[in-house]
Amino acid sequence: MDLLLFLIFMIISMFSIFFVHKLFDKEGLLFLMILMVGINIVSSFKIISLGIFNLNLNIISYISIISIYYIILEKYGKKDKYNFIKALIFSSLFISIMLILGSIYESSVDDVIGINIRMLFLGNYRILIATVVTVILDIVVTESVYNFIKPIGSTDRIDRCLTSALIMVIDSVIFSVVSYMGVLQINAISELLFINYLARVLVMIIYSPLVEYIIKSKKVDV
Amino acid sequence: MNLAILFIEVILVYLAILLLYKFFKKEGLYIFAVLGSFISTILLYKTIDILSYESVLSISINTSLFIIANMLVQKNGPDEIKKLIYIILISSVFAYIMLCFTSLFTSSEYNLGVNNAYDDLFSLDIRLFLANLISMLLMIIFNSRLYHMLRRIKNKIWISNILSLMITSFIESIIFVILGYIGSVNLVNILNLIIVRYVLKIFISIIGTIDIYIENKSN
């Protein structure tokens, strides 16, 4: 059942990238990226059980952000790339600050939701910091690593997967250690780190035909 | 304490709008609309006490969306609002569906307390969500027309902004509270919620006038 939900979640995310690009072009991709940044931050707090594997729920939204970035990088100009990075950094920080502020407010007597908001965002601020730092770090280094790998790899599609696979090693280590060190046992952290990494690479491979299709769907507009 | 946090939040929100406008111009205002819609979908469900009166948390974000609507009308005329409405509608619905969807997954045994808090938080009440969305979208449309009309008659930004928001905030507060709370709280509380929401929105709108002035000056 959870595997099916995971697949549906992934298909919705992939279709939203496809349709947003088709209907609203780069502006739509920028807005979708911002929504995905929000979903990525929030869903990073939940660890799900997928069969015998435990993994963080933000994998799909994270790969969606990376995929949108590859589309912007390959299909549009430098200005759009910088706008994307600026918007990503701004929205990550703004959403985090607003969630922390929202948690600090004292709830009213009848409120039942406030305790959950406080427990999630304030009680686990390390997950919030780790998510924001890793996604910004990934986006900032992606282009350099991609340009480094391009001459070595065979096709752009493989290069993109290799680039992400390489960056995600560091990303997964930072995320798991910063978020869960002292909260979970070392075995559990190692398991999460390894499964998260594998799942991200797998989802990236599934996303790659869509990214390739969108990049090649129109002439490069620089 | 809550009043002080609200003040800080309002300052941050308006500062964010100005920064986005500086970096992205008109597109920055749309970026804020997406951000605001997303944050509002999460924080809407928490109620807080401001000076011993109950209010929902997302009020500053909600009011700031009216301010960016006025900023767009100020520069580009009332036709620009159509796009803003679509962006708020699509962003809010997308965020709501995706966040509700994430709560359906079976939680892991790891960090179980956090997972349960997550599921409780994102079993989001559709009634409050719709009340917020409907009241906000209807009143943004109405407010932008009123603002545009007042600008043409009075030609003073602060009069147009405060007067249009005084009228639309009152109607918005009534629609939101009636759609969101009628039947679940008593009449006295309904009246309290409307009045507190209205007063807070006016206070937040007055501060927002500065943003419209700065945007107007930068042109």
Side-chain angles (χ1 to χ4, degrees), chain A residues 61-84:
Chain A
S61 48
Y62 168 85
I63 297 297
S64 298
I65 297 168
I66 302 288
S67 300
I68 295 171
Y69 182 57
Y70 277 123
I71 296 167
I72 300 279
L73 201 63
E74 295 267 13
K75 200 173 165 73
Y76 303 101
K78 262 189 179 173
K79 197 183 160 204
D80 298 312
K81 182 190 78 182
Y82 288 126
N83 276 348
F84 178 96

Side-chain angles (χ1 to χ4, degrees), chain B residues 183-197:
Chain B
S184 55
V185 289
N186 62 40
L187 195 63
V188 178
N189 281 342
I190 293 268
L191 288 174
N192 262 341
L193 282 166
I194 292 172
I195 294 165
V196 173
R197 187 176 174 86

Side-chain angles (χ1 to χ4, degrees), chain A residues 45-98:
Chain A
F45 289 90
K46 185 170 176 174
I47 305 174
I48 59 165
S49 189
L50 216 59
I52 54 164
F53 303 116
N54 296 297
L55 65 157
N56 281 90
L57 187 53
N58 67 336
I59 288 167
I60 294 168
S61 48
Y62 168 85
I63 297 297
S64 298
I65 297 168
I66 302 288
S67 300
I68 295 171
Y69 182 57
Y70 277 123
I71 296 167
I72 300 279
L73 201 63
E74 295 267 13
K75 200 173 165 73
Y76 303 101
K78 262 189 179 173
K79 197 183 160 204
D80 298 312
K81 182 190 78 182
Y82 288 126
N83 276 348
F84 178 96
I85 295 174
K86 272 193 285 185
L88 178 120
I89 294 172
F90 190 92
S91 41
S92 302
L93 295 176
F94 185 70
I95 291 171
S96 307
I97 291 168
M98 292 308 284

Side-chain angles (χ1 to χ4, degrees), chain A residues 46-173:
Chain A
K46 185 170 176 174
I47 305 174
I48 59 165
S49 189
L50 216 59
I52 54 164
F53 303 116
N54 296 297
L55 65 157
N56 281 90
L57 187 53
N58 67 336
I59 288 167
I60 294 168
S61 48
Y62 168 85
I63 297 297
S64 298
I65 297 168
I66 302 288
S67 300
I68 295 171
Y69 182 57
Y70 277 123
I71 296 167
I72 300 279
L73 201 63
E74 295 267 13
K75 200 173 165 73
Y76 303 101
K78 262 189 179 173
K79 197 183 160 204
D80 298 312
K81 182 190 78 182
Y82 288 126
N83 276 348
F84 178 96
I85 295 174
K86 272 193 285 185
L88 178 120
I89 294 172
F90 190 92
S91 41
S92 302
L93 295 176
F94 185 70
I95 291 171
S96 307
I97 291 168
M98 292 308 284
L99 291 179
I100 291 287
L101 266 181
S103 315
I104 296 172
Y105 278 100
E106 289 294 332
S107 304
S108 65
V109 186
D110 310 326
D111 182 72
V112 285
I113 294 293
I115 184 89
N116 295 322
I117 291 182
R118 187 175 277 247
M119 187 175 178
L120 270 184
F121 305 124
L122 205 59
N124 294 277
Y125 67 93
R126 276 164 52 188
I127 301 178
L128 191 71
I129 294 169
T131 311
V132 171
V133 168
T134 48
V135 81
I136 293 174
L137 198 74
D138 286 359
I139 290 297
V140 171
V141 299
T142 290
E143 195 186 6
S144 316
V145 179
Y146 184 46
N147 288 337
F148 175 76
I149 286 191
K150 251 183 170 178
I152 308 165
S154 52
T155 63
D156 286 350
R157 205 167 127 184
I158 295 171
D159 294 343
R160 281 191 287 273
C161 291
L162 272 175
T163 304
S164 296
L166 207 67
I167 293 170
M168 279 187 263
V169 175
I170 303 156
D171 165 86
S172 301
V173 172

Side-chain angles (χ1 to χ4, degrees), chain B residues 101-144:
Chain B
F101 201 94
T102 58
S103 69
L104 298 177
F105 286 91
T106 308
S107 297
S108 160
E109 293 295 315
Y110 297 154
N111 233 3
L112 195 60
V114 175
N115 293 334
N116 289 340
Y118 185 97
D119 292 340
D120 286 346
L121 175 61
F122 292 114
S123 312
L124 301 172
D125 177 9
I126 194 156
R127 183 178 170 186
L128 217 51
F129 169 75
L130 288 176
N132 183 56
L133 192 62
I134 292 168
S135 60
M136 186 165 62
L137 293 182
L138 282 178
M139 284 306 112
I140 284 177
I141 297 169
F142 177 59
N143 179 66
S144 60

